Amino acid sequence: MNAVYKTDFIKIISGIRRCGKSTLLKQFLLQFKENVLYINFDEKQNSNLLIKENLEKYIDDFVKRRREVILALDEIQNVVGFEQLILGYYQYKNIQIYLTGSNSHMISKQIATKFTGRELQINITPFNFFEFNDFF
């Protein structure tokens, strides 16, 4: 993940359910102490941010007080119409964008069309039998 940090692309971490997308993102974010806005849209306390306008205001309030920002949005597919919002923040060179979501939503034709040429896909798969044995 460190190799892709400074690219200007929208980094999209996708994969099947329970394969480690969120864990990978959280472990990557541990190296940054400040300027990280991490939102998990599966958590109840973030339910008000599922409305695109509320999310935009929340992000804007965070971004305007900082020079550089890492925007990490976990399970972004839960926000209706998120594509246009993300493309709006993509224009700012001081914002690094990381998204996670399930394959069925994140690699859909609609998202691929809107983000084409602006995204870096990182597909996560669960361990196969041999990887599991090596790890444990």
Side-chain angles (χ1 to χ4, degrees), residues 120-134:
L120 176 64
Q121 285 278 344
I122 303 165
N123 192 33
I124 305 297
T125 58
F127 282 165
N128 64 34
F129 178 75
F130 299 108
E131 290 167 333
F132 180 83
N133 276 340
D134 285 345

Side-chain angles (χ1 to χ4, degrees), residues 28-42:
F28 171 72
L29 294 175
L30 285 175
Q31 64 188 307
F32 303 100
K33 303 263 187 259
E34 313 174 338
N35 302 326
V36 174
L37 178 58
Y38 171 82
I39 303 170
N40 183 339
F41 295 102
D42 278 345

